[in-house]
Amino acid sequence: MIKKWTARLLAVALVASALTVVSIAADDPRPASAASGADFDPGNIISDANFYAAGSMTLDNVQSFLNQQVPSCRASSGPACLKSYTMDTFTRQDSGARCGTYPGGPGQSAAAVIYNVAQICGISPKVLLVLLEKEQGIVTSSAPTAYMYRSATGYGCPDTAACDAQYYGFFNQVYGAALQFKRYAATPTSWSYQAGRTNNIFYHPNASCGTKPVYIQNQATASLYIYTPYTPNAAALANMYGTGDSCSAYGNRNFFRIYTDWFGSTTGGGSPYGYVDTAAAGFRQVTVSGWAVDPDSAAPIRVDFYVDGRGAASTVAGNDYPSLAGVLGKGNTAHGFSANITGLSAGRHSVCSYAINVGTGVNTLLDCREFVVRTGDPFGYVDSVSASAGSLTVKGWVVDPDTADPITARVTVDGRQVSSQIASGEVPGLPAVYPGWGTRHAFESTVTGVSGGSHRVCVQGVNVGAGSTVDVACQTVVMASGAPSLFLDEVSMGSPGKLLVRGWAIDPDTVDPVRVHVYVDGALSTKVTADVSKASLATAFPGYGDKHAFSVPVAGLSAGTHSVCVYAINVGAGGNAVRCAEVAAPTGSPRLFLDQAQGTALGQITVRGWSFDPDVVDPVRVHLYLDGRLVTKVTADVAKASLGTSFPGYGEKHAFTATLTGVGPGAHTLCTYAINVGGGGNTVDCRTVSAVTGSPSMLLDEVSSPSAGAVLARGWTIDPDTVDPLRVHVYVDGVLQTKVTADVVKSSLGTAFPAFGPRHQFSASVAGLAAGQHSVCLYSINVGAGANTVVCSPVTVR
């Protein structure tokens, strides 16, 4: 977004003032220096280190700075001065994850808004203060207007249109500007001005004023140009606190000038900055963590800690702090610190953390935090209370603030002590929350003999030192009692005469498996113990284990519907649990499926498939009819493994294969009948099946030379597309010698191919051949589909 250009000048020169920075030694205000046009570098208006130094000011620093700019506000009917301005804000999350979550709340001060936005977006509070001043002069105004607050940072105010109303308001303006700077940095190549290259930057909105080639050296400078897209000309720089000429633009000049006046060099080093994340009190100690960096050095710096105004500890901020990568670069994140300050007395304390300066600048007070070193009553936590038949298991931890040693944990039920033990088990995560006490404070206690019903279970930490023995946590626990829980997972008859009953049963009064009785049609059929493992039961019923399932097979049932009742036999209070279900034995017509039904050879059709009758496990009979005529009967008793899987209880021996012979040419009606047993009727599958078609079949019985100069060829040939005799052509050495018809009777053909008859034999003689080796080829002339069939044989002629 490009904000609206402004040529507004301050009516009077800004009076330079310093931000007081507290050091360990004493207050050491940094003197401000008047900005000079000779120092303005258009390619490096401000360094990245200074621009993104979110920790360069604390909230107190920001408020103090605002107080100094306007010691007293001029009475008016308008808004309060910025130092006194408050507003209600709301929690806000950037959908693009450029900034963190803003902590909204009622009556937040302007200083709090500036500071909070700086922290969540990683932008220096100094930059936001300078931006507010160079846009509206609101920081130094003793009588700000509503417009100044409405468009405080010029965000959403383009050169070519009025400001966008959706961005009105001080909070929206500060947050929107900081978020926009983060967008620029996150997608640096998406904008017209980019760091690391020469950019032609306009002097003025009036294009006739020309441009200046500027090599932008860093992202912070690029971001300022994207936000305010003009560079000051020589006239503007020659009069840093006044006006230039008609081609002068002042936005980025004023940013440089105000920052220099208020905070010193925009590109040089300065005082260290950082942030205190936590000050966690523990056993006679406090652990302080955060990060600190000095702009004059990439090396880790020292951080000193004062407790109640007295020096207490010192450390080097050299720990890896990954989130600094977005501000300082991926290779410059070793600036985290964590210091453990021990030997503290009980009570309230204050710890102040100072970043020790390197080079120019002064030591920086990062933050002061109040904390309380505990004393008095023990404290702790109950992680879980699990109940099973007559017993309770309580797990948790207890700590006494006056000792790091394990203390005694007592468990009471309804006010009566039932167990006592030293809580010395491991709690690995405890030191992270309660430093100094160590990890040996866990306990686990199992109490037996607890009656059914509601009970108040409490854990006491036995006091050491100051304080008294107290309940650290209590829970109300209901102990189960009464009749067993019973559930049937399956009641089915998957095959004739066989019943399967599966389920589980648990009696709340015992962890042992219970007895289960199965009744069929009112008569006791079997008794079992529900002791089969089922993992989910241990999860659903903690303390009872997983061995409470059962699986009961019942054989020998007749066809029809049966009533099945399952009883879980009660132990202790309550009575037996019962669940009943009706189940029908499978019955009906056979199932039949054909895997294959087709012509497979001359005069043959092959049929393969499977069939079983739900009323029996035995193989069924299968009858095959061709063109309305029964041609064969088979038994479906061939093994097929997938049937045993698909139809458990029936086994795998229900497949069949049948070969039908004597099948003539053309299409035929094939009907396959599965013969019914019991309820239902026969199952039939009828379909049209075509006989084999194609080229003739031919076999040579003899090729010989019975006399000088003669050859005799005998054999037979049948075309699957006709029952008529075929023509046969005889070639010798590639020359046609004779043609005959294969119409001689051969009785075996009538037997082998009854549909075609016996008249398919031939005998052919060729005379007048020269003595010696010859090749004899016989061609069976095709009818219908296919092609001629040729069979050749060598022969030696006498």
Side-chain angles (χ1 to χ4, degrees):
M1 178 179 293
I2 298 176
K3 60 159 294 296
K4 186 175 181 179
W5 172 81
T6 177
R8 180 187 55 80
L9 291 173
L10 299 181
V12 294
L14 294 174
V15 177
S17 60
L19 171 64
T20 300
V21 180
V22 180
S23 68
I24 290 179
D27 289 348
D28 185 7
R30 176 189 297 176
S33 57
S36 169
D39 296 329
F40 180 83
D41 182 350
N44 187 13
I45 300 174
I46 185 171
S47 68
D48 284 348
N50 286 341
F51 193 86
Y52 297 111
S56 59
M57 298 177 77
T58 66
L59 174 57
D60 288 342
N61 292 156
V62 176
Q63 185 63 60
S64 177
F65 180 82
L66 295 178
N67 294 342
Q68 292 174 16
Q69 302 315 304
V70 184
S72 62
C73 291
R74 195 167 63 220
S76 70
S77 59
C81 292
L82 194 59
K83 69 174 184 178
S84 304
Y85 188 74
T86 62
M87 73 221 76
D88 294 338
T89 62
F90 58 92
T91 299
R92 185 167 178 175
Q93 174 64 55
D94 165 35
S95 61
R98 310 299 187 198
C99 292
T101 301
Y102 184 88
Q108 288 190 347
S109 67
V113 170
I114 294 168
Y115 175 77
N116 290 337
V117 169
Q119 302 314 302
I120 67 165
C121 292
I123 302 294
S124 169
K126 298 177 182 179
V127 168
L128 298 179
L129 287 166
V130 171
L131 183 66
L132 289 164
E133 182 65 16
K134 76 105 168 171
E135 290 293 334
Q136 299 294 343
I138 194 172
V139 176
T140 58
S141 175
S142 61
T145 65
Y147 176 83
M148 290 180 176
Y149 283 104
R150 191 190 76 180
S151 301
T153 63
Y155 180 70
C157 296
D159 293 333
T160 57
C163 295
D164 191 333
Q166 68 175 312
Y167 303 118
Y168 283 176
F170 185 78
F171 170 61
N172 283 339
Q173 284 285 297
V174 176
Y175 179 88
L179 176 59
Q180 194 64 23
F181 286 139
K182 293 294 289 197
R183 290 183 180 129
Y184 297 154
T187 57
T189 61
S190 300
W191 307 92
S192 56
Y193 298 137
Q194 298 176 21
R197 74 177 191 186
T198 299
N199 303 260
N200 290 319
I201 302 178
F202 284 98
Y203 284 115
H204 192 275
N206 184 349
S208 65
C209 289
T211 62
K212 179 177 183 176
V214 176
Y215 182 83
I216 298 178
Q217 300 176 32
N218 55 43
Q219 182 58 48
T221 300
S223 295
L224 288 178
Y225 278 125
I226 300 168
Y227 198 82
T228 305
Y230 307 104
T231 190
N233 64 3
L237 293 176
N239 188 7
M240 285 292 283
Y241 293 86
T243 59
D245 58 24
S246 61
C247 283
S248 293
Y250 305 94
N252 285 313
R253 184 204 70 172
N254 288 350
F255 182 92
F256 170 79
R257 187 196 68 203
I258 297 168
Y259 190 100
T260 302
D261 288 346
W262 285 352
F263 306 115
S265 172
T266 61
T267 57
S271 300
Y273 56 93
Y275 188 74
V276 175
D277 293 324
T278 61
F283 175 63
R284 298 175 184 170
Q285 63 182 274
V286 64
T287 299
V288 187
S289 61
W291 61 271
V293 65
D294 192 295
D296 293 307
S297 175
I301 65 172
R302 197 174 92 235
V303 180
D304 289 350
F305 305 93
Y306 282 63
V307 174
D308 302 332
R310 302 182 65 180
S314 181
T315 190
V316 174
N319 300 336
D320 187 42
Y321 202 96
S323 62
L324 289 175
V327 176
L328 303 177
K330 292 183 178 179
N332 190 22
T333 60
H335 298 288
F337 65 81
S338 180
N340 191 36
I341 304 170
T342 60
L344 304 180
S345 61
R348 185 173 296 276
H349 299 276
S350 173
V351 58
C352 294
S353 307
Y354 294 85
I356 306 305
N357 181 68
V358 176
T360 61
V362 295
N363 300 334
T364 299
L365 170 62
L366 299 179
D367 200 358
C368 289
R369 300 281 182 95
E370 287 195 348
F371 64 95
V372 175
V373 174
R374 297 180 69 159
T375 186
D377 300 341
F379 61 96
Y381 188 76
V382 174
D383 296 313
S384 66
V385 179
S386 58
S388 60
S391 69
L392 287 169
T393 298
V394 185
K395 298 179 182 179
W397 56 267
V398 291
V399 171
D400 190 290
D402 296 298
T403 179
D405 296 329
I407 65 171
T408 299
R410 294 174 182 166
V411 177
T412 65
V413 176
D414 301 329
R416 178 177 60 89
Q417 180 179 324
V418 293
S419 73
S420 178
Q421 62 175 279
I422 300 297
S424 59
E426 288 292 321
V427 191
L430 194 64
V433 183
Y434 299 102
W437 276 286
T439 60
R440 296 177 57 244
H441 298 284
F443 67 88
E444 179 176 344
S445 179
T446 297
V447 183
T448 60
V450 183
S451 62
S454 178
H455 299 276
R456 182 71 168 168
V457 179
C458 294
V459 175
Q460 294 180 339
V462 177
N463 184 68
V464 176
S468 59
T469 298
V470 294
D471 291 336
V472 299
C474 293
Q475 289 188 24
T476 298
V477 179
V478 177
M479 299 291 294
S481 182
S485 296
L486 172 64
F487 189 82
L488 300 183
D489 296 314
E490 179 182 0
V491 179
S492 66
M493 294 186 70
S495 61
K498 294 182 179 180
L499 169 69
L500 177 64
V501 182
R502 293 189 308 107
W504 56 266
I506 295 178
D507 191 297
D509 296 293
T510 179
V511 296
D512 296 327
V514 300
R515 296 288 294 168
V516 173
H517 295 182
V518 179
Y519 285 72
V520 178
D521 298 328
L524 178 63
S525 174
T526 187
K527 300 177 181 179
V528 297
T529 299
D531 58 1
V532 178
S533 177
K534 184 173 182 176
S536 60
L537 293 176
T539 304
F541 300 92
Y544 286 87
D546 61 354
K547 292 187 175 182
H548 297 283
F550 59 86
S551 180
V552 182
V554 179
L557 298 185
S558 61
T561 300
H562 298 274
S563 173
V564 179
C565 288
V566 180
Y567 290 80
I569 306 306
N570 180 67
V571 177
N576 298 336
V578 59
R579 287 184 179 268
C580 296
E582 285 195 344
V583 60
T587 187
S589 301
R591 298 194 183 189
L592 172 65
F593 185 83
L594 298 185
D595 297 310
Q596 179 186 20
Q598 66 183 80
T600 53
L602 182 64
Q604 292 183 356
I605 290 177
T606 298
V607 183
R608 292 188 308 106
W610 56 266
S611 179
F612 74 91
D613 191 295
D615 293 284
V616 295
V617 295
D618 297 328
V620 299
R621 296 288 294 167
V622 177
H623 295 182
L624 293 100
Y625 285 72
L626 191 67
D627 299 328
R629 179 175 60 87
L630 177 63
V631 292
T632 190
K633 301 176 181 180
V634 296
T635 300
D637 58 359
V638 178
K640 183 175 182 178
S642 60
L643 294 176
T645 303
S646 300
F647 304 100
Y650 286 89
E652 60 183 26
K653 292 188 175 183
H654 295 286
F656 63 88
T657 300
T659 300
L660 310 184
T661 60
V663 180
H668 301 272
T669 299
L670 171 69
C671 289
T672 305
Y673 287 81
I675 305 306
N676 180 66
V677 178
N682 298 337
T683 300
V684 61
D685 181 318
C686 290
R687 59 185 65 187
T688 298
V689 180
S690 294
V692 170
T693 185
S695 303
S697 296
M698 181 166 64
L699 180 69
L700 297 182
D701 294 320
E702 178 184 359
V703 177
S704 64
S705 179
S707 59
V711 169
L712 173 65
R714 294 188 307 103
W716 60 267
T717 181
I718 298 175
D719 190 299
D721 296 297
T722 179
V723 297
D724 296 331
L726 301 180
R727 296 290 292 165
V728 177
H729 295 184
V730 182
Y731 285 73
V732 177
D733 299 329
V735 178
L736 177 63
Q737 299 292 331
T738 187
K739 301 177 182 179
V740 298
T741 300
D743 56 0
V744 179
V745 171
K746 184 175 183 178
S747 58
S748 61
L749 294 176
T751 303
F753 306 103
F756 292 87
R759 295 179 63 248
H760 296 284
Q761 184 170 255
F762 63 85
S763 179
S765 297
V766 179
L769 300 177
Q773 190 74 21
H774 295 272
S775 173
V776 178
C777 291
L778 290 92
Y779 287 80
S780 177
I781 306 305
N782 178 67
V783 176
N788 299 336
T789 298
V790 59
V791 178
C792 296
S793 175
V795 64
T796 302
V797 177
R798 297 179 186 180

